[in-house]
Amino acid sequence: MAIKLVNEVRETKPLIHNLTNEVVMNFSANGLLAFGGSPIMAMAEEDAADIAQLSDGVLINIGTLTEPHLRAMILAGKAANQKGVPVVIDPVGVAATSYRTEAFQRIIDEVQPTAIKGNAGEMAHLVGITLETKGVDSVGEGDSEEIAKKVAEKYNTIALVTGETDVISDGQEIMTNQAGHEWLGKVTGSGCLLGSILAACLSTSGTRLEQTLAAARFYGLAAERASRHTNVNGPGTFAACFIDALAMDITKLEG
């Protein structure tokens, strides 16, 4: 199924509206292009809703949040909901400050997400589970299956809890992905780019669980492939080879 859904992305080249953080825009755009999607980064309130309705998927990422950006995110999310366009919310650093927690709540009060993705610390915070975080990173350990299920149930969405093992839930069923590499955690924006790729996969014809698993598994396989490249000596060279791997045929990644 993952092969079919990734190939469908490459055939349709979905337009993904990335309302994402300023640190990662270039990396996210290049990674999504390599994968087969078509990125647009439109953060202005004046056209956020119009762009969302023209798109095949919307990513809302609160990494470098400002009030104008927050207003644009809400406008884009509401417009996407009205048009039936899938919405991914990435609550980056939501546990770090009260403002980020409040901002997420303001979004979720008006926007119905198709999927919420985040690390264990971020996702645990959304359902009142205490888990240690450091800035935007999760450093504590928790039951990712319990967290994913509770997030999915509370927000009526698909939950993707990222980590050494990614856990996906719709509130009932649990799926996991173990593909990946530790150097993803050494590249700024690697999690944010996964949000863009997830939005692209949600535009395909599979079930929401299948679409989310396809995104996570392909991403992990690409990371594993990049780590094995002879030119890779650390996170910097890994990042370049990772973008290349995102453009590969999934059957070659699995080989």
Side-chain angles (χ1 to χ4, degrees):
M1 180 55 71
I3 295 172
K4 175 182 180 295
L5 298 184
V6 170
N7 287 339
E8 187 175 335
V9 168
R10 289 169 173 178
E11 290 168 4
T12 60
K13 297 179 174 57
L15 178 66
I16 305 303
H17 184 187
N18 294 265
L19 295 104
T20 193
N21 75 76
E22 295 176 356
V23 177
V24 306
M25 282 189 178
N26 182 266
F27 186 73
S28 292
N30 285 333
L32 183 58
L33 276 170
F35 180 61
S38 179
I40 184 168
M41 276 66 177
M43 296 292 286
E45 293 177 66
E46 291 79 4
D47 69 356
D50 291 339
I51 297 295
Q53 291 199 333
L54 293 172
S55 299
D56 300 298
V58 171
L59 170 65
I60 295 174
N61 174 309
I62 67 170
T64 52
L65 196 62
T66 66
E67 275 296 306
H69 288 170
L70 179 56
R71 291 192 295 269
M73 289 171 180
I74 292 171
L75 288 168
K78 290 172 67 176
N81 284 169
Q82 292 167 4
K83 197 73 178 288
V85 173
V87 177
V88 175
I89 298 181
D90 190 344
V92 177
V94 68
T97 68
S98 58
Y99 175 64
R100 287 174 181 270
T101 300
E102 176 196 354
F104 173 81
Q105 191 59 51
R106 285 167 61 186
I107 294 169
I108 210 72
D109 283 346
E110 299 198 58
V111 178
Q112 174 58 51
T114 311
I116 301 176
K117 70 149 290 286
N119 62 43
E122 292 162 346
M123 299 291 270
H125 183 75
L126 301 185
V127 288
I129 297 173
T130 301
L131 202 62
E132 187 180 357
T133 60
K134 184 178 181 180
V136 301
D137 297 319
S138 177
V139 295
E141 295 183 3
D143 185 339
S144 292
E145 291 193 4
E146 177 192 14
I147 293 167
K149 186 175 180 182
K150 287 188 173 182
V151 170
E153 289 174 341
K154 180 174 181 178
Y155 298 103
N156 188 30
T157 190
I158 296 294
L160 169 56
V161 180
T162 59
E164 185 174 348
T165 297
D166 301 321
V167 178
I168 302 157
S169 180
D170 60 359
Q172 300 293 324
E173 191 173 351
I174 296 284
M175 292 183 172
T176 60
N177 166 61
Q178 293 183 323
H181 194 273
E182 61 182 348
W183 278 342
L184 283 172
K186 301 292 186 181
V187 177
T188 298
S190 62
C192 302
L193 171 54
L194 176 56
S196 297
I197 285 177
L198 174 55
C201 287
L202 290 172
S203 73
T204 63
S205 57
T207 69
R208 294 310 191 196
L209 282 172
E210 290 169 343
Q211 293 164 340
T212 306
L213 181 60
R217 178 160 176 75
F218 182 90
Y219 206 73
L221 290 172
E224 290 177 357
R225 177 65 179 237
S227 72
R228 297 192 298 268
H229 198 284
T230 55
N231 291 337
V232 170
N233 300 301
T237 45
F238 167 80
C241 288
F242 179 57
I243 296 292
D244 287 346
L246 289 173
M248 292 182 65
D249 188 315
I250 188 173
T251 58
K252 293 181 180 179
L253 294 179
E254 290 183 318

